[in-house]
Structures are given as structure tokens and as C-alpha cells.
Amino acid sequence: MKEIARRLGISTSTVSRAFSKPEMVRPELRERILAMAKELDYKPNPIARAMVKGQSDFVGLVVPDITNPFFPSIVRGAEDEARRAGLSLIMCNSDGRLAKEKQYLRSLRDLNVVGVIVASASRSDTYVTDLANNLPVVVMDRTLAGSRFVQVTADNCGGSRAVVDYLAELGHRRLMYLSGPAGISTAGDRLKGFTEQCRAHGMDFTVVRAGFKIDDGYAAMKEAEPLMDGATGVVCANDLCAFGAMSRLQERGVSVPEGVSVTGFDDIAFSRFLSPPLTTIRQPTYAMGRQAVKAIVHMRAFHTLPVPTMFATELVVRASTGPQRSAIGEIWKQAI
Ligand code: RIB
């Protein structure tokens, strides 16, 4: 900027204004400044400009685990919608840790982002609510107590119910559930749907606490083995958990679905390539990402909250599930 100002014999603040508040600079002078900027290949720093203008063209997006392919698909949808609206995304990964999430939310606020989309690690923390007093906020894929932000979620409870209905139809009478982590709303809703629907069908079930990562599924399946007690279906809280559980079953020589049926939740891109391909609940991740940005754009334009969105989930039947057969239940018993 200094060089542009020196060459045109004007002040640096006039040059700066030509980029940050163009309406305050005479059109003819602005043209000369832009031409000189082009000649010198000068591009204004968007972060610095955001500081000066008090608002950037960025939308902040905080996800808990970018290594889980569920989230890149959401990010992709958000990115496409942001570009459509002339905005860019800044993505942060919180590792599902509240302290890290808060740190990122603070940084995003300080960068004067247009709005923030967050899959929060907390179900009750007030930080997000406080932030929403001053900034459009979308809570995505997780639910959080509060009314100043909008929620974009999928029907987690309904998805779990659909899995249980399907396994009941196949004749399964006893199920093992490998749950998600404590304190995460999606994990809680899926567990609720599972237990309620098992009770509705009069099915027996056991719950073992797992988590949303492959290693969690592996460890939980190991822990679940002595508790199977004739269970012929293993219902997992998400696809990665199912990947881990299937790896453990394979290690123990239990075939899927002949020995035991396995299901996941999410329908991440790799699940159909698993051997056998995974029966799961599909979440419309790309559409969820787009919807989250649409909500930010709405709040920015109208200063009102759009209605919350809960996307429907869909059962995707693949080869990891099959009819319950008692003889096959015996194979499983022998393996453990
Ligand atoms: O944290 C990861 C999980 O949260 C995903 O697998 C998806 O199920 C989401 O709710």
C-alpha cells in the first residue's frame, strides 16, 4: 500500500480506504489506485481488510473430527454453498474438545467472520449462546440447549429405530449395541432410538460404550464378546465404529453376516466398499453442509432465525446384514 501511495503522491490511508470503503474515495482516484495496484500486483490481505471493515467474507466452520469422512462431505456442501453466496470457508478441527472449540470460536469472532457453524462438543455450554448474541450461529449435527442460534441436524433417533425395525424383520431377537461417546447429542439420540425400538419389538439387548472412531469399535467389540449371550446383530453408533467391530470379528473368525449381522450409521463414502459392504443409515451430509451456510446467509440478510432443519435419514441395506438363523448363532458361540 505504501508503494502505491508513494507512486501516486497520496496518503496510505486513502489507498487503504479505496479497498475497505470504496464509496469514500472519488471514483477517478479509486480507478488510479486500482490500476496502480494491478501494475504492482498488489492484492489486499483479506484478513487485514476484515479487521478494518469490521466484517469479512468468511464463514467459520468448526468440526470435531476431520479424519472422520462424515465431516469432509459436510464441509464440501458448506463450501459449495458459501461460494454461491460469494463467501469463503475457514475450517477448524476441535478434536471434540470443548477448550479447543472455544479457542477457535474466539479466533473466528476476532476475524469478524460473517457467521459460525459449529458441531459443538458440548450439549449445554453457554459460550455458543453468548457468541450467538452478536453473530449468526448454526449448531450443526449436534444439538445444544439455547434459542439464539439455529440447529441443522438429521433424524438420529429415527435412523436407529429404522435399523432395529429392519433387524426385527430379519428375525433377530437379541442385539448388541456399540454406542457413541457420552455427552454427544447424536450418540444420545441414536442410543435412545435403539433402546426404545428394541423395547417396542420386545427384543433383548446389551449396550457397550464405544465411541465414534475405528479403534473404539474394535475395543468395544472385544469388550462385548463375553456379553453377546446369543446376540445375532451388532448395531454400531456410526460407520467407523462398525469398521472397527468388523475388524475384530474377522480377527476372531466370526463371519459377517453369517455369524452376526453388523450395521453402522452415516453411510460414509467407504462403507459400500467394505467386505462385506456395510448396511447403514444414510445422513444427507452434503445437503446438511449447504443448509448450514444457507441459514447463515439468511441470518445475515434478515437478522432473524430461519426455522431449524432436521433432515430425514435413510436405511441403506447392504450385505453386512442377513436373516437370523439359529445354527449360525452357534458358529458365533463357538468362536468366542
Ligand atoms: O463425531 C463423529 C460422528 O458424529 C459422525 O460419525 C456422525 O455420526 C456424527 O454425528
Side-chain angles (χ1 to χ4, degrees):
M1 273 203 221
K2 272 188 194 153
E3 184 59 12
I4 298 173
R6 194 186 65 75
R7 292 205 187 190
L8 294 176
I10 55 177
S11 69
T12 319
S13 55
T14 305
V15 177
S16 164
R17 259 199 307 280
F19 291 104
S20 60
K21 292 181 181 153
E23 69 284 357
M24 291 181 69
V25 179
R26 277 182 294 116
E28 170 270 331
L29 179 56
R30 186 161 180 268
E31 286 304 311
R32 284 173 54 215
I33 293 171
L34 292 182
M36 184 57 73
K38 199 170 173 196
E39 191 183 319
L40 295 174
D41 201 23
Y42 168 79
K43 290 186 189 68
N45 177 337
I47 305 282
R49 207 170 47 163
M51 296 303 181
V52 176
K53 271 173 61 181
Q55 182 144 96
S56 68
D57 294 330
F58 295 116
V59 173
L61 173 56
V62 185
V63 299
D65 180 12
I66 197 60
T67 66
N68 181 340
F70 172 83
F71 288 107
S73 173
I74 287 188
V75 173
R76 191 54 218 280
E79 187 210 358
D80 284 355
E81 192 57 37
R83 283 178 69 82
R84 240 175 238 132
L87 301 169
S88 303
L89 274 193
I90 298 181
M91 203 220 68
C92 311
N93 176 73
S94 71
D95 287 325
R97 282 172 30 216
L98 191 56
K100 203 172 167 196
E101 176 184 312
K102 282 186 183 178
Q103 206 175 20
Y104 276 134
L105 290 175
R106 248 177 249 127
S107 306
L108 290 167
R109 182 203 57 202
D110 294 348
L111 284 172
N112 290 321
V113 292
V114 170
V116 164
I117 302 165
V118 57
S120 185
S122 161
R123 292 184 86 160
S124 56
D125 197 79
T126 55
Y127 187 79
V128 174
T129 316
D130 295 344
L131 191 71
N133 284 331
N134 306 307
L135 198 65
V137 173
V138 174
V139 173
M140 188 198 53
D141 181 51
R142 310 282 196 245
T143 51
L144 185 64
S147 57
R148 293 189 176 276
F149 43 79
V150 70
Q151 319 235 12
V152 174
T153 52
D155 184 5
N156 289 284
C157 199
S160 277
R161 287 181 194 280
V163 163
V164 175
D165 287 345
Y166 166 67
L167 292 172
E169 243 173 61
L170 289 176
H172 294 270
R173 303 303 308 152
R174 182 171 178 80
L175 302 176
M176 172 60 68
Y177 189 73
L178 306 187
S179 82
I184 300 292
S185 67
T186 47
D189 292 345
R190 287 171 206 173
L191 178 61
K192 182 170 179 280
F194 172 83
T195 53
E196 286 179 0
Q197 207 61 359
C198 280
R199 289 191 184 112
H201 284 286
M203 291 164 96
D204 290 327
F205 63 88
T206 305
V207 177
V208 167
R209 174 72 64 199
F212 280 149
K213 291 176 186 282
I214 295 180
D215 289 350
D216 297 327
Y218 178 92
M221 191 62 241
K222 208 168 170 180
E223 193 186 326
E225 282 164 13
L227 309 172
M228 288 296 281
D229 193 20
T232 53
V234 177
V235 177
C236 302
N238 75 346
D239 283 6
L240 292 186
C241 177
F243 287 16
M246 277 169 71
S247 146
R248 173 64 188 171
L249 289 167
Q250 194 178 26
E251 202 172 89
R252 295 301 312 264
V254 179
S255 54
V256 176
E258 294 80 6
V260 68
S261 286
V262 177
T263 66
F265 204 110
D266 286 346
D267 194 23
I268 57 175
F270 307 120
S271 297
R272 67 194 170 105
F273 300 109
L274 211 61
S275 182
L278 186 66
T279 292
T280 187
I281 294 294
R282 177 175 297 155
Q283 299 203 62
T285 41
Y286 182 82
M288 287 163 74
R290 281 193 64 189
Q291 183 58 30
V293 172
K294 277 186 188 169
I296 294 283
V297 171
H298 173 105
M299 286 186 261
R300 184 196 201 193
F302 302 112
H303 304 285
T304 57
L305 285 182
V307 283
T309 311
M310 188 199 269
F311 283 91
T313 47
E314 180 196 348
L315 174 71
V316 180
V317 175
R318 298 198 183 102
S320 68
T321 44
Q324 189 271 331
R325 289 182 228 111
S326 50
I328 288 177
E330 288 307 309
I331 296 174
W332 163 251
K333 278 187 194 159
Q334 283 160 24
I336 62 168

